[in-house]
């Protein structure tokens, strides 16, 4: 995927002490892609920091070329953001 990082996304990567390569890894091989607010998509994967699991969420505007990464963050509240296959299948019905 061809993309650019918005200034806000660049700030969030620095603030949260993430590497751009980790963000790129999620963009190129996300474990999930789910719709987010305002027509954006959340590319997300579960990562491990120390001995704890987090969900890394990368918010993307896909309609532009290149795509624009507008924000990045991670949360230890994996259950809040992670969509199980069962739930996704129910939503499709």
């Amino acid at each position: 995927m061809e993309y650019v990082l918005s200034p806000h996304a660049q700030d969030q990567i620095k603030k949260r002490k993430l590497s751009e390569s980790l963000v790129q890894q999620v963009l190129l091989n996300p474990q999930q892609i789910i719709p987010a607010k305002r027509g954006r998509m959340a590319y997300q994967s579960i990562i491990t920091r120390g001995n704890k699991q987090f969900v890394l969420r990368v918010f993307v505007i896909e309609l532009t070329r290149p795509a624009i990464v507008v924000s990045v963050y991670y949360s230890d509240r994996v259950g809040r953001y992670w969509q199980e296959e069962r739930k996704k299948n129910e939503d499709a019905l």
Side-chain angles (χ1 to χ4, degrees), residues 3-93:
Y3 67 91
V4 294
L5 297 172
S6 71
H8 176 75
Q10 291 173 8
D11 290 344
Q12 292 304 303
I13 289 169
K14 289 177 190 170
K15 176 183 174 183
R16 300 174 195 288
K17 296 183 171 95
L18 295 167
S19 69
E20 279 190 41
S21 63
L22 181 58
V23 172
Q24 182 178 31
Q25 185 179 1
V26 171
L27 287 169
L28 296 177
N29 192 24
Q31 292 173 338
Q32 289 187 340
I33 302 173
I34 59 173
K37 294 179 182 176
R38 299 189 299 221
R40 297 169 180 173
M41 299 301 286
Y43 286 58
Q44 54 189 40
S45 292
I46 295 175
I47 61 169
T48 302
R49 293 190 116 188
N51 61 354
K52 195 167 184 179
Q53 285 193 325
F54 297 87
V55 59
L56 177 59
R57 306 186 83 209
V58 181
F59 292 88
V60 180
I61 299 173
E62 294 181 322
L63 299 176
T64 62
R65 293 293 174 248
I68 302 170
V69 176
V70 293
S71 191
V72 178
Y73 74 90
Y74 65 93
S75 172
D76 61 353
R77 297 175 67 186
V78 175
R80 177 177 179 161
Y81 299 111
W82 200 255
Q83 292 192 4
E84 297 298 326
E85 289 299 319
R86 181 183 79 250
K87 183 174 186 245
K88 286 196 296 188
N89 289 339
E90 289 174 291
D91 291 343
L93 296 177

